[in-house]
Amino acid sequence: MTILKERPGLDHRLGASAELVTRRLDELLPEAAGPRGRVIEAMRYSALSGGKRLRPFLVIESARLFGLSEEAALNTAAAVEMIHCYSLIHDDLPAMDDSDLRRGHPTVHVRFDDATAVLAGDGLLTEAFAVLADLKTHGDAAVRCELIAGLAKASGAAGMVGGQMIDLSPERDRLDLTGITNLQELKTGALIAFSCKAGAILAQAGQAERQSLRDYAGKLGLAFQIVDDLLDSESTPEALGKPTGQDQAAGKATFVGQLGVAGARDMASGLVDQARRCLDIFGDRASILSQTATFVLERTR
Amino acid sequence: MTILKERPGLDHRLGASAELVTRRLDELLPEAAGPRGRVIEAMRYSALSGGKRLRPFLVIESARLFGLSEEAALNTAAAVEMIHCYSLIHDDLPAMDDSDLRRGHPTVHVRFDDATAVLAGDGLLTEAFAVLADLKTHGDAAVRCELIAGLAKASGAAGMVGGQMIDLSPERDRLDLTGITNLQELKTGALIAFSCKAGAILAQAGQAERQSLRDYAGKLGLAFQIVDDLLDSESTPEALGKPTGQDQAAGKATFVGQLGVAGARDMASGLVDQARRCLDIFGDRASILSQTATFVLERTR
């Protein structure tokens, strides 16, 4: 409760933004009807199942930093969340991490089946680009192309897909701190960084501001992953809404394994301080993004 | 050999175009290096493994119809082939069609593993949009957005993904001719139609010309699928480079099952005649696309 009092603005914004994003996802995804209805049902099951909606929040708040409205950023935010959901569906597959629980619900392949889960992930991945390419909504075509190129880079073999490949590799267990950091930058950092970058692209912000946001996002993404490791090692499936202790059980090298609990917490805390300082050039306008860094550190799920 | 003599221009063009497309795919895909190299190796294994390259050929020849060079259409052609390859990798997975052989080689999940195959498909799907969004290459941004929106529609839940979902559904075995035709339109027709449409988009062609190409592509796609059914029922894995008789063994309704071999061949032949007539407004310029329709009918793999 102390935390809530320390950032009254943030908690309200996070909740309101999550609701907006969920509503927009509901509008953007087709209705589950007809013989292909099952895959759409699975796409909706994944995308509308809650979650923190941190990435779309970062899109919206980064855009707001440059004076853009929520509405101007909402489709881009929804597209980023579609990519995040697709990656969760595929990562949870038996052939990958074989997870049964996600956001407190059975994973897509458990609730449906493996084939539907593969297709639902493919469908969400594809739909994200369809949303970004839609010229009927706000933004000129060159901006849209920059968003699409950026999102593809963050999520493809040079980003998330590459990171997941490393995460599954035989070398995974033996990674040192540099190796884990590199893995994190690809697997989770790239999409978090793009979420912040997207606001700057939408606003066609200048280079100095983009660089500051990029630095912020880099620190934030790394802190996010370290906290993920801490929660995986210290929380419960009930509190977290997904299995815990999996990395340790699989013998994977983690930040906690390398640094210990106290060391990992110190590193995350230091990164969050650095992230906040990257926002100095924006002054008070960046108050919400600054509080978001604290939220990432103190989150319990 | 008779066939070869009847379309000397086409066979040369098909071969030359396939080589160009393969070379461009080789240039566009990243090098398989570093710890994430395995997924890139799998992406390259799939994309550079040959195949007829019919879809990229349709992109190039449709663009040529409006006076565009091969070079102007080549990246779009390569992006379409990436989408085709991704769909083959995922369709072949054990959770889907469980196929061991593709284009005469072990499928990606056999040569690598299931997880790598899921990721390689994801990577190719993502890379296709990265290629189309790249403004450093030919085409203005609005054209690129139209290409991306069209490709996403053809390959997502309203197209290929939706078609594959129907193909895996329990109702699949009981489809009538209308049902099979609808399935085909989604699963294979949409991407073939987009391949032709892409040339018109690149050239910013007028509505009448677009409509004629769309009609051509619709007939061609359906004929292509009927011939696929004929080859599945009458050819051998050695000649075809992939397993045969699978649809029949799985009890799936097919054009051949509904119409018999002679009836299916008649229908395909009629569709090809109709497809060729759709090209009348283009006169001699459409000679290659017209011959392509005949090729689709007479192909043996």
Side-chain angles (χ1 to χ4, degrees), chain A residues 17 54 231 265 284 290:
Chain A
S17 150
L54 176 67
L231 291 172
R265 190 152 280 285
D284 287 349
S290 178

Side-chain angles (χ1 to χ4, degrees), chain A residues 30 36 40 127, chain B residues 152-163 185-186 190:
Chain A
R36 68 191 169 93
I40 297 169
E127 190 64 25
Chain B
K153 193 170 175 203
S155 50
M160 221 164 56
V161 164
E185 276 170 5
L186 295 175

Side-chain angles (χ1 to χ4, degrees), chain A residues 19-283:
Chain A
E19 245 178 72
L20 276 178
V21 168
T22 302
R23 204 177 311 149
R24 181 55 56 92
L25 284 166
D26 186 28
E27 290 161 4
L28 288 171
L29 291 168
E31 272 191 72
R36 68 191 169 93
R38 186 176 172 84
V39 67
I40 297 169
E41 200 188 330
M43 290 162 69
R44 300 180 68 91
Y45 175 81
S46 165
L48 306 178
S49 71
K52 292 178 291 293
R53 309 294 197 195
L54 176 67
R55 291 159 191 80
F57 182 72
L58 290 171
V59 175
I60 290 170
E61 291 302 328
S62 298
R64 203 197 296 277
L65 203 55
F66 303 103
L68 293 189
S69 69
E70 276 166 347
E71 180 54 37
L74 200 49
N75 275 19
T76 305
V80 168
E81 186 67 9
M82 284 180 192
I83 293 284
H84 178 54
C85 290
Y86 124 72
S87 78
L88 298 179
I89 298 174
H90 281 189
D91 284 3
D92 286 339
L93 283 168
M96 304 263 233
D97 300 343
D98 196 12
S99 291
D100 290 349
L101 195 65
R102 173 67 71 181
R103 293 173 170 175
H105 301 286
T107 46
V108 175
H109 68 272
V110 169
R111 167 72 178 72
F112 296 84
D113 54 65
D114 293 5
T116 305
V118 173
L119 289 172
D122 295 345
L124 283 170
L125 169 51
T126 308
E127 190 64 25
F129 292 109
V131 167
L132 290 182
D134 186 358
L135 287 173
K136 287 197 296 293
T137 57
H138 178 88
D140 74 13
V143 166
R144 304 218 148 268
C145 283
E146 196 178 349
L147 287 171
I148 292 164
L151 184 57
K153 193 170 176 203
S155 50
M160 221 164 55
V161 163
Q164 178 66 1
M165 187 79 262
I166 298 173
D167 207 15
L168 295 167
S169 71
E171 296 80 34
R172 173 67 183 84
D173 304 351
R174 299 188 304 275
L175 291 180
D176 59 11
L177 201 57
T178 309
I180 307 173
T181 305
N182 175 46
L183 164 60
Q184 177 283 326
E185 274 169 5
L186 295 175
K187 188 173 168 173
T188 57
L191 192 60
I192 288 176
F194 174 75
S195 302
C196 296
K197 190 179 166 188
I201 295 174
L202 280 167
Q204 301 182 256
Q207 281 312 314
E209 290 173 316
R210 287 186 188 218
Q211 186 60 50
S212 298
L213 256 187
R214 189 152 46 225
D215 293 343
Y216 162 82
K219 312 288 184 197
L220 185 76
L222 187 49
F224 182 88
Q225 185 59 49
I226 296 171
V227 173
D228 236 38
D229 281 5
L230 283 161
L231 291 172
D232 183 66
S233 110
E234 299 193 307
S235 186
T236 63
E238 292 70 34
L240 212 53
K242 64 181 179 182
T244 54
Q246 288 199 313
D247 288 347
Q248 209 175 350
K252 287 182 178 180
T254 65
F255 288 104
V256 173
Q258 294 282 312
L259 302 168
V261 167
R265 190 152 280 285
D266 278 353
M267 183 172 169
S269 177
L271 283 162
V272 162
D273 283 343
Q274 292 170 38
R276 296 175 66 141
R277 279 199 298 276
C278 294
L279 300 170
D280 284 349
I281 66 159
F282 300 110

Side-chain angles (χ1 to χ4, degrees), chain B residues 282-296:
Chain B
F282 300 110
D284 287 350
R285 284 186 294 148
S287 147
I288 291 289
L289 284 180
S290 179
Q291 290 177 57
T292 305
T294 310
F295 163 78
V296 159

Side-chain angles (χ1 to χ4, degrees), chain B:
Chain B
M1 294 310 288
T2 335
I3 296 167
L4 270 170
K5 279 183 202 147
E6 279 175 11
R7 38 162 220 259
L10 180 67
D11 287 287
H12 174 73
R13 284 265 180 106
L14 262 171
S17 151
E19 244 178 73
L20 276 178
V21 169
T22 302
R23 203 176 313 148
R24 181 56 55 94
L25 284 165
D26 185 27
E27 289 161 5
L28 287 171
L29 291 168
E31 272 192 72
R36 67 192 169 92
R38 185 175 173 84
V39 68
I40 296 169
E41 200 189 328
M43 289 164 68
R44 300 181 68 91
Y45 175 81
S46 167
L48 306 178
S49 70
K52 292 177 292 293
R53 310 291 196 196
L54 177 65
R55 291 159 192 79
F57 182 71
L58 289 171
V59 175
I60 290 169
E61 291 302 328
S62 298
R64 201 198 297 276
L65 203 55
F66 304 102
L68 293 189
S69 69
E70 275 166 348
E71 180 54 38
L74 199 50
N75 274 19
T76 304
V80 167
E81 187 67 8
M82 285 180 192
I83 293 284
H84 179 54
C85 290
Y86 124 71
S87 78
L88 298 180
I89 298 174
H90 281 189
D91 284 3
D92 286 338
L93 282 168
M96 304 265 231
D97 299 343
D98 197 12
S99 292
D100 291 350
L101 196 64
R102 172 68 70 181
R103 293 173 169 174
H105 301 286
T107 46
V108 175
H109 67 272
V110 170
R111 168 72 177 73
F112 296 83
D113 54 66
D114 294 5
T116 305
V118 173
L119 289 172
D122 294 346
L124 283 169
L125 169 50
T126 308
E127 191 63 25
F129 291 108
V131 167
L132 290 182
D134 186 357
L135 287 172
K136 287 198 295 291
T137 57
H138 178 88
D140 74 14
V143 165
R144 304 218 147 265
C145 283
E146 196 178 349
L147 287 171
I148 291 163
L151 184 57
K153 193 170 175 203
S155 50
M160 221 164 56
V161 164
Q164 177 67 0
M165 187 77 262
I166 299 174
D167 207 16
L168 294 167
S169 71
E171 296 79 35
R172 173 67 182 85
D173 303 352
R174 298 187 305 274
L175 291 181
D176 60 10
L177 201 57
T178 309
I180 307 172
T181 304
N182 175 48
L183 164 59
Q184 176 282 324
E185 276 170 5
L186 295 175
K187 188 173 167 172
T188 55
L191 192 60
I192 288 176
F194 174 75
S195 303
C196 295
K197 191 180 165 185
I201 295 174
L202 281 167
Q204 301 182 257
Q207 280 311 314
E209 289 172 316
R210 285 185 188 218
Q211 186 59 51
S212 299
L213 256 188
R214 189 152 47 223
D215 293 343
Y216 163 82
K219 313 286 184 197
L220 185 77
L222 187 50
F224 183 88
Q225 186 58 49
I226 296 171
V227 173
D228 236 39
D229 281 4
L230 282 161
L231 292 171
D232 183 65
S233 110
E234 299 192 307
S235 187
T236 62
E238 292 70 35
L240 212 52
K242 63 181 179 183
T244 55
Q246 288 200 310
D247 288 347
Q248 209 176 350
K252 287 183 177 180
T254 65
F255 288 105
V256 173
Q258 293 282 311
L259 302 167
V261 168
R265 191 151 279 287
D266 279 353
M267 184 172 169
S269 177
L271 283 162
V272 162
D273 283 343
Q274 293 171 37
R276 297 176 65 142
R277 279 200 298 276
C278 294
L279 300 171
D280 283 350
I281 67 160
F282 300 110
D284 287 350
R285 284 186 294 148
S287 147
I288 291 289
L289 284 180
S290 179
Q291 290 177 57
T292 305
T294 310
F295 163 78
V296 159
L297 186 67
E298 294 172 348
R299 71 200 174 93
T300 54
R301 68 177 181 95

